[in-house]
């Protein structure tokens, strides 16, 4: 299908992008790589009257060592995350999963900020930032604010970002010595996950689920079981608790719940090894 009519404006800086969002309100949407927004527009599921193109705002494309964490600019492309040596050393799960997003075309155009801000429950990177306990930085007319990843996702394609805010940075803790695993069950390599799991064991274990509800989820029941001394296999039996796994053409609810238990067990065992 063809998107509804819209105006197009290119922002040259993050401040200009925020100003344009403030000017146009709910009618405006940010455009970075476009791989999440444009398909929705073609299906008329999103009908913004103004697109604010931030794809060339280079000030938001970076990976920096910030002491106890790595700061990643929201417009850093997936391919850049995949090959960045600092990430490969300090946060290898993020580098690895960025290299599994979509196909090469998507990875060379899509951005981490776009993926996270879109809030798709089947997307890989939101699960990773949840498992890591990342902090997300938003910029708006009143300045910047920090949002815990656990507070960022609110529902289907719904996040804590206000209409006049943009995601500018993702702060991920260093986990160079941690065990980690990413498990993704799909039909083809470039497909959305039917179910996905990200697990990081760094003193406290973080486990996140993909496509097990209307938004990316922390597997809190699994984490609680692990804190209580449960084995990986026993903790994984709690993987479907507190979820609302969808039923669609790819899988039914019961099958997704089964996959969650299997993939969480595999992820925990790999993270422990």
């Amino acid at each position: 299908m063809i998107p509804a009519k819209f105006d197009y404006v290119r922002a040259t800086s993050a401040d200009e992008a925020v100003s344009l969002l403030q000017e146009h309100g709910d009618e405006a949407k940010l455009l970075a790589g476009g791989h999440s927004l444009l398909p929705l527009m073609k299906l008329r599921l999103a009908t913004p009257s103004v697109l604010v193109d931030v794809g060339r705002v280079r000030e938001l494309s970076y990976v920096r060592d910030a002491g106890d964490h790595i700061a990643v600019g929201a417009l850093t492309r997936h391919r850049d995350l995949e090959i960045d040596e600092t990430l490969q050393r300090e946060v290898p799960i993020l580098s690895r999963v960025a290299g599994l997003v979509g196909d090469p075309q998507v990875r060379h155009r899509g951005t981490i900020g776009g993926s996270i801000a879109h809030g798709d429950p089947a997307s890989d990177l939101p699960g990773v930032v949840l498992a890591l306990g990342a902090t997300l930085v938003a910029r708006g007319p009143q300045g910047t604010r920090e949002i815990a990843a656990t507070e960022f996702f609110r529902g289907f394609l719904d996040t804590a970002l206000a209409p006049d805010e943009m995601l500018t940075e993702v702060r991920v803790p260093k986990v160079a010595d941690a065990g980690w695993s990413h498990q993704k069950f799909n039909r083809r390599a470039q497909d959305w996950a039917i179910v996905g799991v990200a697990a990081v064991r760094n003193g406290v274990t973080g486990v996140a689920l993909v496509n097990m509800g209307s938004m990316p989820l922390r597997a809190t029941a699994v984490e609680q079981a692990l804190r209580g001394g449960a084995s990986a296999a026993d903790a994984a039996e709690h993987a479907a608790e507190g979820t609302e796994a969808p039923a669609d053409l790819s899988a039914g609810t019961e099958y997704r719940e089964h996959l969650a238990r299997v993939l969480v067990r595999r992820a925990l065992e790999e993270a422990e090894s």
Side-chain angles (χ1 to χ4, degrees), residues 18-19 21-23 139-144 162-166:
V18 170
S19 178
L21 290 177
Q22 185 179 23
E23 176 184 350
R139 185 182 304 182
Q142 307 305 317
T144 62
D164 57 359
E165 286 184 318
M166 71 178 295

Side-chain angles (χ1 to χ4, degrees), residues 7-32:
D7 292 328
Y8 170 88
V9 60
R10 180 182 294 166
T12 58
S13 68
D15 287 339
E16 183 182 6
V18 170
S19 178
L20 289 166
L21 290 177
Q22 185 179 23
E23 176 184 350
H24 296 286
D26 290 339
E27 297 301 316
K29 291 290 185 182
L30 295 176
L31 175 70

Side-chain angles (χ1 to χ4, degrees), residues 10-271:
R10 180 182 294 166
T12 58
S13 68
D15 287 339
E16 183 182 6
V18 170
S19 178
L20 289 166
L21 290 177
Q22 185 179 23
E23 176 184 350
H24 296 286
D26 290 339
E27 297 301 316
K29 291 290 185 182
L30 295 176
L31 175 70
H35 290 285
S36 298
L37 178 59
L38 293 181
L40 292 181
M41 292 176 62
K42 289 181 179 181
L43 294 171
R44 303 292 178 98
L45 297 175
T47 56
S49 62
V50 179
L51 282 188
V52 179
D53 188 348
V54 294
R56 300 187 186 184
V57 180
R58 301 307 300 168
E59 67 186 89
L60 296 183
S61 177
Y62 56 83
V63 176
R64 298 172 182 159
D65 190 323
D68 63 345
H69 68 274
I70 301 297
V72 180
L75 292 180
T76 309
R77 303 191 188 279
H78 303 317
R79 175 58 178 168
D80 294 329
L81 299 175
E82 179 185 4
I83 64 176
D84 186 87
E85 293 182 357
T86 300
L87 274 185
Q88 290 174 349
R89 181 178 65 253
E90 302 291 354
V91 196
I93 185 173
L94 181 56
S95 175
R96 169 63 174 166
V97 175
L100 299 175
V101 173
D103 53 30
Q105 180 180 0
V106 170
R107 293 193 290 274
H108 279 83
R109 290 294 302 167
T111 64
I112 184 173
S115 177
I116 293 172
H118 187 55
D120 194 309
S123 185
D124 297 313
L125 292 175
V128 174
V129 298
L130 275 174
L132 285 167
T135 299
L136 308 176
V137 181
R139 185 182 304 182
Q142 307 305 317
T144 62
R145 66 186 179 109
E146 298 180 2
I147 310 168
T150 52
E151 304 296 327
F152 188 78
F153 304 103
R154 294 185 171 179
F156 183 67
L157 305 183
D158 182 26
T159 72
L161 289 173
D164 57 359
E165 286 184 318
M166 71 178 295
L167 181 63
T168 57
E169 187 173 271
V170 181
R171 297 173 179 171
V172 289
K174 294 181 177 180
V175 290
D177 298 325
W180 60 272
S181 178
H182 176 259
Q183 301 288 325
K184 179 177 178 179
F185 187 87
N186 52 11
R187 294 181 178 179
R188 300 177 303 168
Q190 67 266 40
D191 285 348
W192 298 107
I194 295 175
V195 173
V197 176
V200 179
R201 306 208 72 169
N202 188 32
V204 177
T205 302
V207 183
L209 301 170
V210 166
N211 220 356
M212 283 295 292
S214 61
M215 60 184 181
L217 301 169
R218 281 286 287 262
T220 55
V222 173
E223 295 172 354
Q224 290 172 0
L226 290 171
R227 287 195 294 268
S231 66
D234 290 340
E237 290 301 309
H238 299 278
E241 293 179 14
T243 67
E244 296 180 357
D248 52 31
L249 293 177
S250 296
T253 297
E254 291 185 0
Y255 185 53
R256 276 195 165 90
E257 291 176 347
H258 167 72
L259 282 176
R261 290 188 287 269
V262 172
L263 295 180
V264 167
R265 175 181 55 78
R266 292 178 181 175
L268 294 176
E269 291 175 347
E270 182 175 42

